[in-house]
Amino acid sequence: MANIVLFHHAQGLTDGLKRMAAAFERAGHTVFAPDLYEGKTFPTVDDGVAFAESTGFDVINARADAALAAAPHSTAPHPRVYMGFSMGAESAARHAQADPQTAGLILMHAAIDPAWMPSPWPAGLPIQVHACDQDPWMEFDALAALRTETEKSRPVEVYLYPGETHLFTDDSVPEYNAVYAQLARTRLLKFLEEVS
């Protein structure tokens, strides 16, 4: 059993992400998914990014920090796994790096260059990445840097799916791909079992 901390993507904490969280809970895990947009969701990635930029990433990061500080998962005994979707990947990686109880990091539709982080990347941290291989929002240079950083301790698990689709695991957005989402879910559940 893992305690999953899920950071939503630019379109907000959508119904699709809530259903995914519920599926993880049915599998025996706990999920804490802070709503950094305070209830707002957006129909497109562009709309969500515009809202995030107008709100300010410093404000969004501060909301994430405050939510985690008050969260019930903070004293739970089970291994903690941080999971970030697209825009949420940065928050997931930042908290995973800072939290000594971190058991794993999952990056959905995103990658993080360890050089972006405020302190050295933790060696041996289990990491799984899911994205389409031609996703225009995906930072493939960051993925290459992450692979280089982790190859000598515990190589990052990378799953690339054919196509340009971005948020293919969220069943509430038009980009949803049921086949890819099911395959990703199987791989995610296996990862969670391994790290917990």
Side-chain angles (χ1 to χ4, degrees), residues 29-138:
H29 307 288
T30 62
V31 182
F32 174 64
D35 185 348
L36 307 182
Y37 283 4
E38 299 180 331
K40 296 181 178 68
T41 59
F42 296 89
T44 70
V45 175
D46 287 333
D47 290 339
V49 169
F51 173 78
E53 290 175 345
S54 67
T55 301
F57 290 104
D58 288 347
V59 172
I60 292 171
N61 287 336
R63 289 175 183 172
D65 295 346
L68 264 65
H73 81 274
S74 60
T75 57
H78 304 292
R80 195 166 306 148
V81 175
Y82 289 89
M83 183 177 195
F85 286 76
S86 191
M87 183 192 77
E90 189 275 336
S91 289
R94 184 166 55 88
H95 286 280
Q97 184 188 42
D99 184 352
Q101 296 186 59
T102 300
L105 172 64
I106 298 169
L107 302 175
M108 302 298 295
H109 323 294
I112 294 294
D113 185 336
W116 300 345
M117 295 291 101
S119 57
W121 195 256
L125 177 66
I127 307 169
Q128 195 173 86
V129 175
H130 295 262
C132 276
D133 60 7
Q134 298 176 60
D135 180 352
W137 290 95
M138 180 68 175

Side-chain angles (χ1 to χ4, degrees), residues 28 93 146 172:
L146 183 59
S172 61

